[in-house]
Amino acid sequence: MPVLIYIDHSEGKIKKGSLEALAYGAALARQTQIEAHGFLAGSFPEELALLGKYGITKVYHAKPDEAISDAALVKAIEQVVSSSNADTLVFSFNQTAKTLAPLLAARLRAGLVTGAVALPETAAGFVVKKAIYSGKAFAKIRINSAVKIVCINQNIFDITETTGNAEVTDIPLTATDNHIQVVEKKKNTEEVSLTDAEIVVAGGMGLKGPENWHLITDLANALDAAAACSRPVSDNGWRPHHEHVGQTGTQIAPNLYLAVGISGAIQHIGGVNRSKIIAAINKDADSPIFKVADYGMTGDLFEIVPQLTEAIKKA
Ligand code: FAD
């Protein structure tokens, strides 16, 4: 009864969250002495057998590209689960998981836990620790169903590599009766994607107006980072809504999150508190952002940010 890991990819690269899901699935397989398998849909430039280096012994490759739809993927994964007897499905908790995991849970009568932050305890049943209340508390959920689905939070599990090749099995996708049809895919921006970025620089109302936004983008460019903003910044129309991070915006988990002129309201922190390191620049030493920041600079961002950008460019 193998673990099956959904491998999400974009522009020829496996997404960071899926690499973490692979590490999680492989570790779970080792813990319970079973095999870990992967499921990948669509064209991928690398030889799929090489994905064995992430600890999986088999890759199910669903194609062709033209037939990819949520309904077709659900059907194909269902078939793989049934033919391989996989009893645990692992996803990175991203947009794909938010669509596919509940559909699969309903089809497979599977218990589903999202936001997992630790390997399940398997000594007595299957108990998953998950983050609740925007990461302020944890809950332990026991999944009693035969098939279990776990969506893991990003930036919790280290990516691991080993040696070995995976066996590749092609899975034909068939266009099914889709309730939803993708009409067009449009990229919001050519810039680094917020959810995949290793570093995110975000600006808040402390920037005073859109005319000063170059301070954020210059710093982001110097750090090869994605730029983001607090919600009032996008509500005011200074920046587009897809850049707003927080409870009601994009939830991010970069290695470094740098908040510039952001007060650190609880709704903002709820979307960024899974960052490995939080740093802040704020002129108010009592600002709540400093309660969650690992590093902080108290001072005027209009003085600090240009100097910081120049120093990083020179480094
Ligand atoms: P402010 O709170 O105005 O803070 C500006 C900061 O800039 C201050 O700390 C100030 O000291 C500092 N500053 C000013 N000038 C300078 C300077 N020259 N140099 C350095 N620092 C300076 N917000 C989100 O961001 N994301 C969400 O998803 C979100 N969801 C919400 C959902 C709900 C239901 C509600 C009610 C609110 C939500 N909010 C969200 C809004 C949130 O409560 C805050 O109002 C918002 O995060 C504040 O944004 P800010 O920090 O940019 O602005």
Side-chain angles (χ1 to χ4, degrees):
M1 292 198 192
V3 178
L4 184 67
I5 304 134
Y6 188 89
I7 306 171
D8 227 345
H9 59 104
S10 162
E11 295 175 355
K13 279 195 194 151
I14 297 177
K15 291 191 174 179
K16 179 172 164 268
S18 281
L19 292 174
E20 293 166 1
L22 282 162
Y24 182 95
L28 174 58
R30 278 196 303 277
Q31 177 179 299
T32 45
Q33 295 180 344
I34 51 171
E35 284 189 16
H37 296 169
F39 181 100
L40 181 143
S43 304
F44 190 71
E46 248 187 79
E47 208 186 310
L48 289 179
L50 297 177
L51 298 185
K53 68 183 172 196
Y54 298 116
I56 50 177
T57 50
K58 203 172 213 182
V59 184
Y60 295 96
H61 185 203
K63 47 189 193 177
D65 288 1
E66 308 79 60
I68 292 179
S69 68
D70 296 337
L73 287 175
V74 166
K75 206 169 172 186
I77 295 170
E78 239 187 305
Q79 277 164 9
V80 171
V81 168
S82 140
S83 64
S84 69
N85 271 332
D87 66 353
T88 309
L89 268 72
V90 178
F91 286 84
S92 167
F93 192 28
N94 59 14
Q95 205 51 47
T96 311
K98 284 178 189 171
T99 308
L100 296 184
L103 290 169
L104 282 161
R107 302 277 305 179
L108 297 164
R109 314 286 303 161
L112 162 65
V113 174
T114 57
V117 294
L119 278 176
E121 293 164 20
T122 49
F126 192 98
V127 179
V128 187
K129 185 175 174 187
K130 69 168 277 176
I132 54 171
Y133 301 125
S134 297
K136 289 222 168 313
F138 298 104
K140 282 189 172 180
I141 313 280
R142 184 187 305 278
I143 308 184
N144 291 325
S145 52
V147 180
K148 298 145 183 82
I149 305 181
V150 181
C151 300
I152 64 162
N153 268 353
Q154 284 190 41
N155 235 354
I156 306 279
F157 303 96
D158 289 335
I159 297 165
T160 49
E161 282 194 32
T162 161
T163 47
N165 280 353
E167 178 193 331
V168 181
T169 304
D170 286 343
I171 298 288
L173 280 179
T174 41
T176 44
D177 44 340
N178 287 322
H179 300 299
I180 296 169
Q181 187 191 356
V182 178
V183 181
E184 187 187 11
K185 280 192 179 173
K186 219 165 147 184
K187 255 185 127 179
N188 277 331
T189 165
E190 286 307 318
E191 290 145 22
V192 186
S193 135
L194 260 185
T195 45
D196 291 331
E198 301 276 336
I199 305 176
V200 173
V201 177
M205 293 303 284
L207 266 292
K208 313 282 186 234
E211 66 282 4
N212 298 319
W213 206 256
H214 63 94
L215 292 172
I216 297 298
T217 45
D218 287 351
L219 180 54
N221 288 340
L223 286 166
D224 198 16
C229 66
S230 65
R231 177 164 145 178
V233 166
S234 58
D235 284 348
N236 281 337
W238 300 359
R239 298 301 304 161
H241 268 290
H242 68 259
E243 285 185 15
H244 126 227
V245 289
Q247 213 169 55
T248 49
T250 305
Q251 311 228 331
I252 56 169
N255 288 335
L256 171 64
Y257 176 67
L258 174 55
V260 180
I262 289 178
S263 58
I266 188 160
Q267 298 89 353
H268 182 84
I269 299 305
V272 303
N273 57 3
R274 286 187 285 113
S275 310
K276 257 190 193 149
I277 295 172
I278 297 180
I281 300 171
N282 198 300
K283 68 175 184 186
D284 176 6
D286 294 326
S287 184
I289 191 74
F290 289 125
K291 291 209 171 79
V292 292
D294 301 286
Y295 299 95
M297 260 191 250
T298 312
D300 187 349
L301 71 90
F302 294 98
E303 285 173 20
I304 296 171
V305 174
Q307 289 181 39
L308 186 60
T309 305
E310 279 318 303
I312 290 165
K313 278 187 189 162
K314 279 187 198 145

